[in-house]
């Protein structure tokens, strides 16, 4: 039992780990024990990009390496440990950027088809955001119909992928000083696809063999994610499905229902889940479910897809990354419908222990042994109905080993940039002014983005919880996305009541006045672009410096695992944010390269990487950084005042 407790801090997860063992079902937590990571690969010292290798150049353990050893630490072609490590690192950025970029591209294709009237079931939901984006992009509005405007927008944004020269258009959204830094460092991305292709070229055998130069293109590629592919994805999703506003929801495996057809939609692109949400409640579908003995159809989300539909519809979340097999282990899941990214191949094997049907839907992502129902913008309604029917047909096949943990937690989500603007400033004077003022007067010490994955190499959800608790206790307002957000939601910190329970006096005061939790759910991982926009809004509001790097702010991904997380971390760093990662660090095999990431990057970008596996220590590093920024802004003195008198309270209101 003591061993089991090390796997997760989440009771529902522990309960299902136990059930899986009883049912003889092998899951990720078991495999993490038998499959130990290769120590050479883990430190970034393995190169396998040509067939003279794989070459291993590990750092000597337990002692400093001699200069002679360092000189000789090379692959067959002579590539140094620094080059090898840097190539591995920037290839992660390229892959992560490609994933987000392709997600954004799919959204644009859907958007275009919708504008042309070729996507049945989809419509432009958020006119205000459409018009705002048209203005940002210089698309003519006049008397034109929304569909015409949308078509122009889709063409302009699609060009962002193809573009070979110039700069990505969304860079203009950043503070002016930030744009100058990007130009000075030569990292303003030219076109989204171009940067990813060039990164792959430069890391081919025998091309770019200077780690500084590799990391420069790494930064440029990552910016094509944050201020490119991801930002396009977020904006278009908001236009098609509505910009999120505060919404109540529930999370954890307890959202599955014993007497209903349970369908989980897992992955990243929201259009599939949006359509399933509609068709699963059609009267004919409900009748069909009834005919098979079910009391209804229960649709829940997993991973980022879950965040997307939670933010917009309050649809329940079954769990985060490490819980995907466990939803199957309940024995009550009729279908797991997946699209792209973060889908473990293991779900297909786990499904064999139970009755679950695994349905892949995206032409890019097949799983051997799973059933495939292709879903695209042209057949969405029809495909969604087919999927729901397949799930209903499977309801009578349950094997009797059903056990759903009676555990679920309430949460409030939907804190988009627009929402924060509105909540802070009010409908008629929407602004970040009150947020900035509360940072300046010291009630809020600073802002931290805590994002990213779960990782089977560390206790599930624990680092997220410990880090965020430490931050809010010290009056740092926390913004979250992805699986990190789900960890805190499960722990009960995403309700307004959490402020008085967990936050420091200053932060609690502000949260209680505005009526928000101390930990704000901003969406899926592509929505990290919302954090960039929010940070920029804080800069533009005034009083906190003239660049993102001046803000008393920091970022973290304490349980990261995916290449997307590295791409996100790098675009935060290149946007001026101090960013701390936990779990493991992929360049420890090259101290020189690590030093560059952890120190020298700051002189270039005003932001830098840090690695600290202890989440409380990492939080303290973030707080120290925030305090240093407060000092530089000359607002460090205001925090010395701790007591609030009535006048101050009134002023807060
Ligand atoms: Ni983000 Fe979302 Fe989760 Fe990590 Fe995967 S689901 S895009 S990559 S694991 S946070
Ligand atoms: Fe080895 Fe060089 Fe080939 Fe890499 S590129 S595998 S270091 S020979």
């Amino acid at each position: 039992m003591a061993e089991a407790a090390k796997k997760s801090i989440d009771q529902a997860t522990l309960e299902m780990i136990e059930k899986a063992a009883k049912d003889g079902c092998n899951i990720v937590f078991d495999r993490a024990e038998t499959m130990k990571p290769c120590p050479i690969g883990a430190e970034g010292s393995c190169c396998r990009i040509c067939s003279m290798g794989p070459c291993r150049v590990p750092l000597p353990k337990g002692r400093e390496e001699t200069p002679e050893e360092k000189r000789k630490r090379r692959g067959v072609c002579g590539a140094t440990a620094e080059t090898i490590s840097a190539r591995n690192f920037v290839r992660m950025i390229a892959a992560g950027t490609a994933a987000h970029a392709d997600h954004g591209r799919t959204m644009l294709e859907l958007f275009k088809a919708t504008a042309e009237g070729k996507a049945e079931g989809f419509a432009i939901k958020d006119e205000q955001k459409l018009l705002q984006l048209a203005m940002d992009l210089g698309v003519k509005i006049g008397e034109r119909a929304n569909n015409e405007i949308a078509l122009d927008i889709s063409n302009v944004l699609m060009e962002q992928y193809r573009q070979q020269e110039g700069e990505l258009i969304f860079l203009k959204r950043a503070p002016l000083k930030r744009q100058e830094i990007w130009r000075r460092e030569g990292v303003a991305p030219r076109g989204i696809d171009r940067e990813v292709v060039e990164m792959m070229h430069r890391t081919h055998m025998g091309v770019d063999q200077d780690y500084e130069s590799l990391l420069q293109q790494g930064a440029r590629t990552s910016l094509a994610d944050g201020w490119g592919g991801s930002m396009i994805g977020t904006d278009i999703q908001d236009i098609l499905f509505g910009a999120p506003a505060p919404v109540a929801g529930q999370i954890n495996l307890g959202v599955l229902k014993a007497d209903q057809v349970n369908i989980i939609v897992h992955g990243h692109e929201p259009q599939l889940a949006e359509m399933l949400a509609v068709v699963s409640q059609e009267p004919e579908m409900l009748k069909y479910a009834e005919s098979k003995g079910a009391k209804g159809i229960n649709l829940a989300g997993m991973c980022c897809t879950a965040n997307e539909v939670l933010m917009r519809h309050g649809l329940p979340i079954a769990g985060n990354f490490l819980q995907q097999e466990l939803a199957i282990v309940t024995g009550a899941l009729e279908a797991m419908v997946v699209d792209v990214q973060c889908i473990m191949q293991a779900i297909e094997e786990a499904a064999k222990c139970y009755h679950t049907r695994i349905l892949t839907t995206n032409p890019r992502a097949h799983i051997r042994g799973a059933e495939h129902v292709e879903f695209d913008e042209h057949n969405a309604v029809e495909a969604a109905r087919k999927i729901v029917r397949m799930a209903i047909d499977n309801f009578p096949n349950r094997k009797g080993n059903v056990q759903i943990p009676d555990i679920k937690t309430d949460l409030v989500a939907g804190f988009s940039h627009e929402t924060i603007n509105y909540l802070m400033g009010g409908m008629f004077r929407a602004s970040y002014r009150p947020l900035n003022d509360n940072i300046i007067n010291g009630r809020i010490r600073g802002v931290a983005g805590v994002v990213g994955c779960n990782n089977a190499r560390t206790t599930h959800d624990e680092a997220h919880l410990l880090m965020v608790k430490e931050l809010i206790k010290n009056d740092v307002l926390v913004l979250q996305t992805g699986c990190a957000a789900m960890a805190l939601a499960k722990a009960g910190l995403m309700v307004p009541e959490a402020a008085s329970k967990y936050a420091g006096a200053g932060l609690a005061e502000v949260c209680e006045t505005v009526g928000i939790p101390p930990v704000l759910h901003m969406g899926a991982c592509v929505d990290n672009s919302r954090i960039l926009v929010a940070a920029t809004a804080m800069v533009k509001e005034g009083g906190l410096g003239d660049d993102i790097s001046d803000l008393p702010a920091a970022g973290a991904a304490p349980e990261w695992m995916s290449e997307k997380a590295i791409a996100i971390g790098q675009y935060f760093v290149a946007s001026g944010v101090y960013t701390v990662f936990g779990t493991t660090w992929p360049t420890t095999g090259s101290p020189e390269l690590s030093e560059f990431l952890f120190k020298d990057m700051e002189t270039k970008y005003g932001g830098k990487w840090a690695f600290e596996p202890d989440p409380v220590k990492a939080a303290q590093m973030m707080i120290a950084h925030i305090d240093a920024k407060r000092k530089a802004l000359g607002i460090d003195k205001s925090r010395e005042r701790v007591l609030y008198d009535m006048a101050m309270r009134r002023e807060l209101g």
Side-chain angles (χ1 to χ4, degrees), residues 100 268 303-304 321 341-342 452-454 482-484 525 561-562 564:
H100 286 143
H268 284 78
C303 285
C304 281
F321 176 69
Q341 303 168 21
C342 304
C453 323
N454 290 142
C483 291
C525 287
M561 64 89 201
S562 79
K564 285 178 289 173

Side-chain angles (χ1 to χ4, degrees), residues 61-75:
K61 290 282 156 299
R63 62 178 176 83
E64 195 111 336
E65 77 175 332
T66 65
E68 183 59 13
E69 279 173 327
K70 185 167 188 293
R71 211 170 53 78
K72 286 196 181 141
R73 204 147 65 86
R74 292 169 185 261

Side-chain angles (χ1 to χ4, degrees), residues 139-193:
V139 166
K140 193 174 145 243
I141 297 176
E143 297 292 300
R144 301 202 307 157
N146 282 352
N147 284 350
E148 279 174 64
I149 298 168
L151 203 56
D152 278 4
I153 290 178
S154 74
N155 288 333
V156 171
L157 292 181
M158 207 47 115
E159 198 50 38
Q160 297 293 294
Y161 287 83
R162 289 189 281 258
Q163 197 168 283
Q164 302 298 323
E165 295 168 357
E167 288 177 4
L168 291 186
I169 204 160
F170 282 156
L171 298 191
K172 285 203 197 74
R173 287 183 168 175
L176 284 174
K177 190 160 165 206
R178 182 54 30 189
Q179 297 177 39
E180 280 160 22
I181 292 169
W182 290 333
R183 283 175 203 127
R184 184 191 70 203
E185 296 301 327
V187 295
R190 295 155 293 185
I192 299 170
D193 289 348

